[in-house]
Amino acid sequence: MRLSQFHLSTSKETPADAEVVSHQLMLRAGMIRKLAAGIYTWTPLGLRVLRKVETAVREEMQAAGAIEMLMPSVQPKELWEETGRWEKFGGQLLKIKDRKDAWYAYGPTHEEVVTDFARNELSSYRQLPLTVFQIQTKFRDEIRPRFGVMRAREFLMKDAYSFHLDAQDLDRQYHEIYRAYERIFTRLGLRFRAVFADTGAIGGSASHEFHVLADSGEDAIAWSDGSAYAANVELAEALAPAAPRPAPAEAMREVETPTQKTCEDVAALLDIPLARTVRTLALVGADGFVVALARGDHAVNTIKLAKVAGLAEYRMATEAEIAAHLGSEPGFLGPVGPKAAVRVVADRAVAAMADFVVGANRPGYHLTGVNWGRDLPEPDVVADLRNAEAGDPSPDGRGTLAIARGIEVGHVFQLGPKYAEAMGATVLDEQGKARVMHMGCYGIGVSRIVAAAIEQNSDAAGIVWPEPMAPWRVAVCVINPKNDPAVAEAAAALHAELSAAGVDSVLDDRGLRPGQMFADIELIGIPHRVVVSARGLEAGTFEYRSRTAAESEALDRDALLARLGIGAA
């Protein structure tokens, strides 16, 4: 490949609307161009990287026993109604009508379509297990698309689905795909971590996310410094305090807090640690009015809260409901002395507290020295309601938790019979009895991996690709090719030799000045740069520089080939 015959359009300027490094560098390097909000054109340069990722994903999925297929992007409403997701999926589902006024969805995922395929194609246990996958464009109508292809509305995804006679065989394939994902991200040269995760809108019984580690990651990951335990903070268990609850040491008393409505402000006024305060959430669930309590210095985890019995579809209480049950206004709420019956749900840390501070259910006042069993009944429910934090003990009992940032690039689910049952996907077992199939679902954000790799691998000069993802592994740069035929010929010969040896290389014969040419090669992240010049030819050397090296080296032909892993010819 000659750059003089390739479309490469780079920029020195950082686009004003690009918030994260990957978005900035992908635009500057000319990898993508914005068409509309969250919708991008991939240029020839960007597509080369995208195809490298796609190849690694395809080959490792095939090695794990998955068979490639291709399903329609446009899906009929009727399939989504069978699973109840036409309404439940929410605003992210792009709904469209055809000329006959029939409704369709532009596929954000393909559980319904693949289950329809399976129920029509599979009839016997002898056809199981079956794992199929596709690499295809998806569309999710994000409210606020941002960060370039990191959170785009249109994106390239690998989605795979497996079908099994029972849960045991599903579990076997789940872990086989899990290992395939580990091979994919290792092969691409990425630092990553697999974590326990919530099943979210897809549903199912078990789930792991794969995160590329990067300081700019949107997700927080809790991991143990003493074991392999790792989980998304949304799911990581926060254990109950090991020490027993202290005995009461204070009398309960009411204190004036005229304008202090937050735990932070109350703690500052009383000159006490924030950890001695308790925040109160007034909720309405299936069983009525609920008071949920968390320590003032802890963040309430809404996913964990929704797992408490009766709170699967909770909502925040209105001011009228709060007044009716607690007799106060928001900012001064607490569990002591409610006006009407309330259900008290306390986080584990709160259940272990003594002499704590809560709202007095009286505007302008809080209570100090509050104790369970003396000033109010024991909680109706004690549960893990908070986000895990750095320094918490690891849930597996080994080590303590640290928090890292990650970018989710893969997700695997054990769906179980959820979709197959809803859509009547059955096969006959050995006894001729109809059995609902068990399913697995396995996704990888192919286009997102590209952005995540840049977030993890960049410097002031531009992108620093892991070699397996780079658009080319080696750039052969020609100094003054138009005015020095010998240099141009030597560069072309070296480029041909590298290509013949299977090295993915590009010849930069654009005739640019060295500074501009080198800046482009660094910006687009080529791992190895070789400069061919008249001075080098006279000395019998090439100027070599690794993308991560501070200085260039003068190498003869054999040394250069050895450095590139080819060896002396």
Side-chain angles (χ1 to χ4, degrees):
M1 174 69 68
R2 290 175 176 265
L3 277 185
S4 62
Q5 300 169 0
F6 186 85
H7 176 75
L8 179 65
S9 179
T10 61
S11 171
K12 294 180 180 180
E13 302 300 323
T14 299
D17 62 342
E19 302 174 69
V20 295
V21 169
S22 60
H23 192 193
Q24 294 167 0
L25 291 178
M26 290 181 79
L27 288 171
R28 285 190 55 212
M31 293 179 62
I32 56 173
R33 292 291 181 254
K34 182 178 177 180
L35 179 64
I39 302 175
Y40 291 87
T41 295
W42 287 77
T43 70
L45 179 71
L47 187 62
R48 287 189 66 89
V49 178
L50 199 61
R51 290 290 183 253
K52 297 285 183 73
V53 176
E54 189 177 323
T55 296
V57 171
R58 175 175 285 108
E59 291 179 356
E60 295 299 340
M61 288 301 296
Q62 289 172 338
I67 305 167
E68 188 167 9
M69 66 182 301
L70 185 62
M71 291 175 275
S73 295
V74 178
Q75 308 175 14
K77 172 186 178 182
E78 290 74 20
L79 286 183
W80 284 74
E81 287 181 324
E82 287 188 55
T83 60
R85 292 208 300 173
W86 182 256
E87 298 298 336
K88 286 184 179 179
F89 205 87
Q92 285 191 335
L93 188 63
L94 179 63
K95 300 175 181 180
I96 54 179
K97 270 187 178 183
D98 68 8
R99 66 177 66 194
K100 297 179 181 179
D101 283 338
W103 281 101
Y104 294 84
Y106 192 97
T109 184
H110 276 68
E111 284 81 17
E112 283 81 3
V113 175
V114 78
T115 306
D116 180 67
F117 172 82
R119 70 181 173 185
N120 290 311
E121 294 288 324
L122 306 177
S123 58
S124 168
Y125 74 94
R126 294 186 179 89
Q127 295 170 281
L128 300 178
L130 175 68
T131 302
V132 294
F133 77 98
Q134 63 176 351
I135 298 176
Q136 187 208 53
T137 298
K138 302 283 195 278
F139 191 97
R140 296 181 185 176
D141 199 5
E142 295 276 357
I143 294 176
R144 188 183 166 215
R146 54 182 178 159
F147 305 153
V149 300
M150 189 87 74
R151 189 170 289 282
R153 293 194 294 165
E154 183 181 84
F155 53 94
L156 189 66
M157 179 180 177
K158 184 283 301 175
D159 50 323
Y161 308 90
S162 61
F163 296 87
H164 310 268
L165 189 62
D166 54 39
Q168 291 72 31
D169 193 58
L170 166 59
D171 189 65
R172 175 198 58 76
Q173 182 66 352
Y174 179 87
H175 288 93
E176 181 63 36
I177 300 297
Y178 181 104
R179 289 188 289 271
Y181 276 34
E182 290 183 318
R183 293 194 300 271
I184 288 167
F185 298 121
T186 299
R187 174 173 166 175
L188 292 173
L190 299 170
R191 300 187 305 280
F192 70 95
R193 188 177 288 272
V195 303
F196 295 110
D198 187 75
T199 55
I202 303 298
S205 58
S207 173
H208 285 84
E209 292 173 353
F210 288 78
H211 288 259
V212 169
L213 302 178
D215 292 338
S216 58
E218 290 186 274
D219 295 304
I221 300 166
W223 59 279
S224 172
D225 62 5
S227 71
Y229 176 85
N232 192 300
V233 165
E234 294 175 343
L235 193 69
E237 183 180 6
L239 298 179
R245 180 197 296 167
E250 300 178 13
M252 185 176 73
R253 65 187 182 92
E254 192 176 69
V255 296
E256 190 172 2
T257 54
T259 61
Q260 288 73 28
K261 295 186 175 184
T262 67
C263 289
E264 291 78 6
D265 289 344
V266 171
L269 177 70
L270 301 180
D271 194 25
I272 60 173
L274 185 59
R276 285 193 56 192
T277 67
V278 171
R279 65 177 75 251
T280 302
L281 280 70
L283 314 171
V284 175
D287 299 327
F289 196 89
V290 175
V291 169
L293 307 176
R295 213 168 73 184
D297 61 332
H298 287 161
V300 176
N301 185 311
T302 57
I303 291 176
K304 292 180 178 180
L305 193 59
K307 292 180 179 178
V308 175
L311 293 181
E313 296 184 359
Y314 74 87
R315 61 173 174 82
M316 303 303 294
T318 65
E319 290 193 12
E321 290 167 332
I322 291 171
H325 288 83
L326 301 178
S328 184
E329 63 185 54
F332 305 100
L333 306 182
V336 180
K339 288 181 63 178
V342 302
R343 182 173 175 233
V344 177
V345 177
D347 179 66
R348 292 167 172 173
V350 174
M353 293 175 70
D355 301 322
F356 52 90
V357 177
V358 294
N361 288 327
R362 179 185 173 196
Y365 290 88
H366 277 72
L367 298 172
T368 65
V370 178
N371 284 274
W372 297 107
R374 185 192 73 181
D375 307 313
L376 74 168
E378 295 290 337
D380 297 298
V381 177
V382 176
D384 175 18
L385 302 182
R386 70 175 178 92
N387 284 342
E389 297 180 347
D392 285 346
S394 177
D396 65 359
R398 293 181 289 168
T400 58
L401 295 180
I403 306 297
R405 306 301 300 182
I407 300 167
E408 183 190 342
V409 292
H411 209 154
V412 292
F413 302 86
Q414 287 192 29
L415 298 175
K418 176 181 177 179
Y419 291 90
E421 191 167 57
M423 298 182 69
T426 63
V427 293
L428 298 180
D429 63 14
E430 287 185 86
Q431 287 73 42
K433 181 181 178 181
R435 296 265 296 272
V436 174
M437 288 181 281
H438 287 248
M439 290 175 58
C441 171
Y442 320 96
I444 283 183
V446 176
S447 49
R448 190 173 232 222
I449 287 174
V450 177
I454 296 172
E455 291 293 330
Q456 190 181 82
N457 301 279
S458 64
D459 60 19
I463 303 167
V464 185
W465 290 115
E467 288 201 20
M469 292 182 62
W472 297 281
R473 185 170 171 236
V474 179
V476 178
C477 299
V478 192
I479 302 297
N480 199 17
K482 293 182 180 179
N483 298 325
D484 197 329
V487 171
E489 184 179 337
L494 176 62
H495 172 53
E497 185 173 5
L498 294 176
S499 298
V503 176
D504 190 10
S505 61
V506 65
L507 179 63
D508 193 345
D509 59 343
R510 293 175 296 167
L512 301 179
R513 292 181 178 179
Q516 183 180 354
M517 177 166 51
F518 298 162
D520 274 356
I521 298 304
E522 289 186 327
L523 174 61
I524 66 177
I526 308 302
H528 305 278
R529 185 184 79 198
V530 180
V531 179
V532 183
S533 65
R535 181 184 301 177
L537 289 183
E538 290 177 8
T541 61
F542 300 95
E543 182 185 299
Y544 166 79
R545 184 173 178 178
S546 164
R547 177 62 180 81
T548 57
E551 302 291 340
S552 299
E553 306 173 65
L555 302 176
D556 63 26
R557 174 182 170 278
D558 288 348
L560 173 66
L561 296 180
R563 183 65 60 88
L564 297 176
I566 300 172

